[in-house]
Amino acid sequence: EIVLTQSPGTLSLSPGERATLSCRASQSVSSSYLAWYQQKPGQAPRLLIYGASSRATGIPDRFSGSGSGTDFTLTISRLEPEDFAVYYCQHYGSSLWTFGQGTKVEIK
Amino acid sequence: QVQLQESGPGLVKPSQTLSLICTVSGGSISSGGYYWSWIRQYPGKGLEWIGYIYYSGSTYYNPSLKSRVIISVDTSRNQFSLKLSSVTAADTAVYYCAKTSYSSRGYWFDPWGQGTLVTVSS
């Protein structure tokens, strides 16, 4: 089973700043099978990125995904007030979906 | 667009069976092309995929839960359901249902239901 490790655990930033979130896989994975989600308190996760770099429908272009092999990144170019939330990466492989433990982006 | 809604008891006694239903609206499970999954989120916020079903009834479960899980589908009601047997306090979580896409670009969950908290306690 592939383990996804997200860092940092918490990211303290101000609106307008750039956020860079990391997701590292325990072994090399296909970038096609890497996705990112945003979760706000009391809500279900929302799909942001699939295939490592494709934005889901309706997701603003300030969100971007990149990476390959074992290292993947979610970048929020300029944080808006509504972007402060928890972000999870997710991988599919060997008929199993796994999630990272999450990165909280909080207001500094 | 497709929407999902979970329903079921919020409190289950230890050793009993947890039963939840997911009702799909805005689209038909029978149209095919997607899996329909159950996912849970522990109080500490970790997410765990439980399993999926296809409209035909074929299923696949997380090996860690396989011995206790049954997912079934009722296409006439556009619903699918989860049964988790022999529950313990460790099964306390928010349970989500989600439409599951698969393609050459990957496998992902979108959209999700709002989730329902199930507490296992006597």
Side-chain angles (χ1 to χ4, degrees), chain B residues 11-71:
Chain B
L11 181 64
V12 181
K13 289 181 169 30
S15 79
Q16 293 191 342
T17 296
L18 178 161
S19 296
L20 296 173
I21 292 173
C22 181
T23 301
V24 179
S25 59
S28 174
I29 289 177
S30 299
S31 62
Y34 300 95
Y35 299 136
W36 302 90
S37 290
W38 286 99
I39 301 156
R40 65 183 179 180
Q41 185 167 35
Y42 297 107
K45 302 302 183 183
L47 289 157
E48 180 178 42
W49 170 73
I50 298 169
Y52 72 68
I53 192 163
Y54 194 55
Y55 80 96
S56 62
S58 62
T59 55
Y60 196 86
Y61 303 135
N62 189 322
S64 68
L65 296 167
K66 185 177 180 179
S67 63
R68 298 195 291 133
V69 173
I70 297 175
I71 298 176

Side-chain angles (χ1 to χ4, degrees), chain A residues 24-103:
Chain A
R24 177 164 291 177
S26 57
Q27 58 187 277
S28 184
V29 301
S30 167
S31 60
S32 293
Y33 299 153
L34 198 289
W36 289 92
Y37 300 84
Q38 176 194 67
Q39 186 177 33
K40 297 179 181 179
Q43 297 183 17
R46 176 177 72 142
L47 177 70
L48 298 175
I49 301 286
Y50 63 92
S53 60
S54 296
R55 272 188 301 277
T57 302
I59 302 303
D61 61 7
R62 63 180 181 274
F63 291 92
S64 63
S66 63
S68 63
T70 60
D71 293 310
F72 297 87
T73 300
L74 175 70
T75 301
I76 311 171
S77 59
R78 287 178 57 86
L79 282 164
E80 296 288 340
E82 62 267 28
D83 299 337
F84 292 92
V86 180
Y87 293 84
Y88 295 94
C89 58
Q90 167 248 298
H91 174 259
Y92 171 82
S94 301
S95 300
L96 184 66
W97 281 265
T98 54
F99 294 87
Q101 83 280 15
T103 290

Side-chain angles (χ1 to χ4, degrees), chain A residues 97, chain B residues 33-37 52 98-102 107-110:
Chain A
W97 281 265
Chain B
Y34 300 95
Y35 299 136
W36 302 90
S37 290
Y52 72 68
K99 178 182 174 182
T100 308
S101 296
Y102 57 95
Y107 292 63
W108 62 87
F109 306 109
D110 180 51

Side-chain angles (χ1 to χ4, degrees), chain B residues 7-13 15-21 38 40 50 68-70 81-88 91-93 95 116-120:
Chain B
S7 59
L11 181 64
V12 181
K13 289 181 169 30
S15 79
Q16 293 191 342
T17 296
L18 178 161
S19 296
L20 296 173
I21 292 173
W38 286 99
R40 65 183 179 180
I50 298 169
R68 298 195 291 133
V69 173
I70 297 175
S81 63
L82 169 70
K83 291 188 185 299
L84 180 66
S85 62
S86 304
V87 298
T88 70
D91 294 308
T92 293
Y95 286 76
T116 187
L117 174 63
V118 178
T119 301
V120 179

